[in-house]
Amino acid sequence: MNSYTRLNQEHIKILQQIFTQNRVLFGEAIAEEYGHDELSGMIAMPQAVVQPLSAAEVSQLLRFASEQQIAVTPRGQGTGLVGGCVPVCGGILLDMSKMNHILELDMDNLTLTVEPGDLLMDVAKFVEERQLFYPPDPGEKSASIGGNISTNAGGMRAVKYGVTRDYIRGLEVVLTNGTILNLSGKVAKNSSGYDLKDLIIGSEGTLAVVTKAILKLVPYPAETISLLIPFADLSAAISTVPLILQSRTNPVALEFFERETIMAAENFLGKRFPDHSAPAYLLVSFDGNSLAEIEHVYEAAAELCLKNGALDVLIADTTERKESIWSARSAFLEGIKAAAGEIDECDVVVPRKSVAEFMQFAHSLEAEYGVGMRGFGHAGDGNLHIYAMRENMQESDWQKGKKAVMEALYRRAEFYEGQVSGEHGIGWEKQDYLLERLGEAQISLMQAVKLVFDPSCILNPQKIFKMK
Ligand SMILES: Cc1cc2nc3c(=O)[nH]c(=O)nc-3n(C[C@H](O)[C@H](O)[C@H](O)COP(=O)(O)OP(=O)(O)OC[C@H]3O[C@@H](n4cnc5c(N)ncnc54)[C@H](O)[C@@H]3O)c2cc1C
């Protein structure tokens, strides 16, 4: 395991030369939020925070940190859930939030070039005002594009449109030796050697720092309609999913959730969900260029669901109704967190047909370990979000209980040939499960790749896997 140089006054002076205008924070000026992310239990403060404005500044910093063997941890907005942006080895936190400009809209190539600190919600608004669409839609809209790229964020629209990786045409990245590289570009396809761009996407800031991204856009779909479909139980709901996907209705999103999750979101938001009378629900949405185009599609899907055990089909075709459903869906995580006090999360992805069985298994752990379990997720792509809830448990029971249920969940995911993370990444929290799932041979390959990019292991050390 590597050891890192602690910053001294000389180091701080050099940082102040690189980052003028008070863009170096140290000591008491470092806000407490820089020591954690949105969910993981890991807390560690950096010795200094720097806020670059350009790739050139990132390059100078990384060269200096490599020479001095100082740990550097990139941070977007800190909305991650697995401790990816937490500076577990101290050193320098690289806060990318000031590199937040939209640089170029290229209508001929349908691309948008952005800096990594741009927020997902700002990018979405910018393009939608111009009748364009950037489809990746993770639940947390205040996340940065750099964070989305580094975790290969998924989200609700993955069923039809895919995930962040599918919408990154090109990247500018800075290596730890200071080299600034442009990977791929505005081209729509590329078969030119190893795809380094795709390797950087999802690498959680362990290989290089993203300083610019060229996003792929598509025309904005003029109309969307959502169906909220209650079922008598989760198995009935999930067994309808393959039928919808086979039916040529091409849904954008296909989510599942249970009544208790809706109630938690209602309490959190102080607003009523359109319905919470049934034990389980599917939420399906469709988009297209006109209402006429999607009408026959959603009618066919509704009919299919009613034939296969749906209790009802509620159509959300007004802005208010869509807003009330989707804002509650976006608040599920916070609702569960507020109800439970403390939570731990499992973000496994399993083959779609195993989702209902997996959720039944998760609920069976409640009786076995005395830990409350809640879940919801992306039924259309098999990505579940399952939460162990602390509620009134004593600290030692909670620690023991959450470890036991997480181990059981990840073992079960392996049984279904699933993967440890569908979209949130591995970060600090989920490394043991990754090693167990992938085995030494795959982890050794990843360690070797890490050493090629970052021979001194200064960039986001101790994330995804430990180095030998
Ligand atoms: C309520 C809620 C809902 C969520 N829903 C979803 C969801 O539906 N789908 C989903 O995928 N995620 C979801 N997330 C998780 C989180 O929002 C995403 O992981 C997001 O992509 C993180 O972005 P960020 O800017 O906050 O990154 P951070 O948390 O700051 O960092 C995440 C990782 O990216 C690295 N990083 C950040 N910027 C750079 C850069 N410029 N260069 C190199 N590395 C960098 C960091 O080192 C870290 O490893 C949710 C989170 C919350 C709180």
Side-chain angles (χ1 to χ4, degrees), residues 329-371:
R329 166 62 188 86
S330 293
F332 281 173
L333 196 170
E334 279 125 321
I336 292 173
K337 202 167 150 190
E342 220 177 300
I343 53 176
D344 196 1
E345 192 209 35
C346 168
D347 155 57
V348 289
V349 54
V350 297
R352 276 194 301 254
K353 81 171 203 189
S354 310
V355 167
E357 258 178 58
F358 199 99
M359 276 311 299
Q360 273 157 14
F361 175 77
H363 284 310
S364 76
L365 299 173
E366 291 185 330
E368 202 173 338
Y369 296 100
V371 179

Side-chain angles (χ1 to χ4, degrees), residues 61-367:
L61 172 80
L62 291 183
R63 207 175 323 115
F64 162 70
S66 292
E67 284 160 9
Q68 300 294 321
Q69 192 62 28
I70 298 169
V72 176
T73 303
R75 185 183 202 271
Q77 285 294 318
T79 71
L81 303 171
V82 290
C85 67
V86 181
V88 296
C89 296
I92 299 168
L93 191 76
L94 181 57
D95 171 2
M96 300 300 289
S97 63
K98 287 198 190 306
M99 288 183 67
N100 61 355
H101 297 98
I102 291 177
L103 300 175
E104 185 204 27
L105 173 63
D106 180 339
M107 287 301 290
D108 293 332
N109 287 307
L110 277 185
T111 59
L112 185 73
T113 305
V114 298
E115 290 188 312
D118 275 321
L119 306 187
L120 176 63
M121 58 187 173
D122 294 339
V123 167
K125 182 165 179 283
F126 180 89
V127 296
E128 283 165 26
E129 281 168 358
R130 290 156 179 81
Q131 292 299 301
L132 295 167
F133 194 38
Y134 174 66
D137 185 36
E140 180 56 69
K141 318 298 179 208
S142 69
S144 71
I145 292 292
N148 283 178
I149 291 169
S150 303
T151 55
N152 188 25
M156 258 77 88
R157 301 190 190 115
V159 185
K160 177 168 177 180
Y161 289 103
V163 296
T164 300
R165 184 176 273 119
D166 301 309
Y167 290 86
I168 306 301
R169 287 267 201 247
L171 289 180
E172 177 188 80
V173 301
V174 184
L175 304 183
T176 56
N177 65 8
T179 307
I180 300 174
L181 290 180
N182 284 295
L183 307 176
S184 199
K186 289 185 180 175
V187 291
K189 57 200 275 203
N190 187 357
S191 182
S192 317
Y194 295 161
D195 200 328
L196 299 178
K197 165 182 72 69
D198 276 359
L199 182 58
I200 300 294
I201 298 167
S203 66
E204 303 188 48
T206 62
L207 299 181
V209 175
V210 174
T211 47
K212 202 188 283 178
I214 302 173
L215 313 180
K216 167 186 162 181
L217 306 176
V218 294
Y220 189 74
E223 300 290 346
T224 59
I225 277 195
S226 297
L227 305 180
L228 180 65
I229 311 168
F231 285 86
D233 59 52
L234 191 62
S235 296
I238 300 293
S239 64
T240 315
V241 171
L243 305 177
I244 299 173
L245 291 172
Q246 290 158 22
S247 69
R248 299 188 182 170
T249 54
N250 202 12
V252 174
L254 220 173
E255 301 286 301
F256 79 88
F257 40 89
E258 296 169 291
R259 177 169 39 210
E260 293 72 19
T261 304
I262 298 177
M263 310 290 270
E266 284 185 341
N267 288 337
F268 175 73
L269 292 173
K271 274 200 256 175
R272 295 274 308 218
F273 198 66
D275 184 56
H276 62 215
S277 59
Y281 291 81
L282 289 182
L283 175 57
V284 195
S285 72
F286 303 92
D287 68 7
N289 292 322
S290 66
L291 266 187
E293 183 188 324
I294 47 176
E295 229 161 43
H296 75 275
V297 165
Y298 81 75
E299 278 169 5
E303 207 172 301
L304 194 150
C305 290
L306 287 168
K307 264 197 208 142
N308 285 281
L311 303 174
D312 198 355
V313 174
L314 310 172
I315 299 170
D317 49 1
T318 62
T319 311
E320 297 73 43
R321 217 146 193 226
K322 278 186 268 190
E323 163 62 21
S324 79
I325 293 178
W326 285 100
S327 63
R329 166 62 188 86
S330 293
F332 281 173
L333 196 170
E334 279 125 321
I336 292 173
K337 202 167 150 190
E342 220 177 300
I343 53 176
D344 196 1
E345 192 209 35
C346 168
D347 155 57
V348 289
V349 54
V350 297
R352 276 194 301 254
K353 81 171 203 189
S354 310
V355 167
E357 258 178 58
F358 199 99
M359 276 311 299
Q360 273 157 14
F361 175 77
H363 284 310
S364 76
L365 299 173
E366 291 185 330

Side-chain angles (χ1 to χ4, degrees), residues 6 340 441:
R6 276 190 68 75

